[in-house]
Amino acid sequence: KNEVEQSPQNLTAQEEEFITINCSYSVGISALHWLQQHPGGGIVSLFMLSSGKKKHGRLIATINIQEKHSSLHITASHPRDSAVYICAVWGTGNQFYFGTGTSLTVIP
Amino acid sequence: DTAVSQTPKYLVTQMGNDKSIKCEQNLGHDTMYWYKQDSKKFLKIMFSYNNKELIINETVPNRFSPKSPDKAHLNLHINSLELGDSAVYFCASSRVAGGFTGELFFGEGSRLTVL
C-alpha cells in the first residue's frame, strides 16, 4: 500500500467547473506538497503546506493534519489546467513519498 | 536564466554502458534532489544532498552514484546500465531540507532510454 493515496486517479471536467482532488497519507509528516506536471513533462510546485489553507489565484489547498488529508481545489477550471496533479509528503523521518497522481482533463 | 537545468534532456544508450546526467541550480539553494519517474509516471525520490552532504539515500542500486562538487551541482552517474533504468530523471532543489523546505524547483527532466 502506498503511503500517499490520491483520488480520483482520472478526472474529466467541463470548463468553469469546480474541481477537487484529494490526498490521504498514512505517515507522520512535516510538510505536504502539491505539484503539477504539464503534458510536456515539466513539474511545477503549486503549494507547500504544513497546516491550514493556502490560495494562489484559482487554486486553493487545504490540509487537515489530524485526519491526514489534503485537498486541492480549482475554481472556474480552464482547459489550460489540464495536467497531472501530484501530492507528495515529507515524512518526519526525513523520507519523501509521492502519490500516484490525478490526471485532470478540462474540456472547453 | 533557467533556475534548475539538467543535461542532457534525452539520452539513448546501450545496456552495460556508463552514463552521467548533470544538474545545476542558480537559486542559491542548499538542498538538491534526484527523482526517478518510471513508465507508469510514478515519481520516487532517489537521493537528497544538503550542502554537498548526502541526507537521503533511498534503496537504489549501487550502480547509481550521486556526486555533488558544490552546493549548486548534483550529478548522477549510472554504471552498467540496465533496461529497467529507462525512465525520466528529475533534478530539483529547495532552500533547505526536510519539512521546513520552501517549494521545490524542478529541472525539465532527462529521459534515459536503455536499449
Side-chain angles (χ1 to χ4, degrees):
Chain A
K1 189 177 183 297
N2 206 17
E3 288 81 0
V4 180
E5 298 283 350
Q6 285 184 237
S7 63
Q9 276 194 302
N10 297 286
L11 181 54
T12 300
Q14 292 288 332
E15 190 171 356
E16 293 291 321
E17 267 188 51
F18 180 82
I19 288 162
T20 296
I21 300 170
N22 295 299
C23 174
S24 295
Y25 51 91
S26 58
V27 295
I29 70 165
S30 45
L32 181 144
H33 292 261
W34 280 103
L35 309 172
Q36 179 192 54
Q37 187 165 26
H38 300 293
I43 300 175
V44 173
S45 174
L46 298 175
F47 296 102
M48 190 205 78
L49 294 164
S50 53
S51 64
K53 178 179 173 178
K54 286 189 177 179
K55 184 175 189 291
H56 287 153
R58 296 179 295 104
L59 300 178
I60 303 165
T62 63
I63 188 168
N64 184 318
I65 297 292
Q66 285 75 28
E67 293 186 5
K68 296 190 173 180
H69 182 269
S70 175
S71 293
L72 176 68
H73 305 286
I74 305 175
T75 61
S77 59
H78 189 275
R80 65 174 174 265
D81 297 326
S82 298
V84 175
Y85 293 84
I86 302 166
C87 174
V89 302
W90 272 109
T92 47
N94 223 21
Q95 314 98 335
F96 198 85
Y97 302 107
F98 287 91
T100 51
T102 295
S103 178
L104 171 66
T105 303
V106 181
I107 300 169
Chain B
D1 255 357
T2 306
V4 181
S5 58
Q6 297 179 225
T7 53
K9 275 192 181 178
Y10 301 96
L11 185 52
V12 180
T13 189
Q14 299 283 337
M15 256 175 39
N17 284 349
D18 303 338
K19 290 293 177 188
S20 292
I21 307 172
K22 295 185 177 181
C23 181
E24 176 181 3
Q25 54 96 3
N26 63 6
L27 297 166
H29 287 166
D30 290 318
T31 307
M32 295 184 72
Y33 312 82
W34 276 110
Y35 298 93
K36 179 180 179 181
Q37 187 170 43
D38 62 25
S39 56
K40 294 181 180 175
K41 303 288 188 182
F42 187 64
L43 274 161
K44 194 168 182 180
I45 191 167
M46 299 175 72
F47 302 103
S48 173
Y49 268 72
N50 179 254
N51 274 321
K52 303 195 300 175
E53 286 191 29
L54 182 66
I55 56 169
I56 293 177
N57 183 5
E58 292 297 312
T59 307
V60 296
N62 291 337
R63 300 180 294 102
F64 290 80
S65 53
K67 287 190 171 46
S68 183
D70 55 61
K71 73 175 193 178
H73 294 85
L74 181 63
N75 303 323
L76 183 66
H77 189 76
I78 316 170
N79 288 328
S80 304
L81 279 157
E82 298 178 358
L83 294 176
D85 298 332
S86 296
V88 181
Y89 293 86
F90 285 95
C91 176
S93 72
S94 65
R95 196 164 46 85
V96 292
F100 307 103
T101 183
E103 65 180 299
L104 292 163
F105 289 80
F106 285 83
E108 293 180 342
S110 296
R111 181 177 293 276
L112 171 65
T113 303
V114 182
L115 303 175

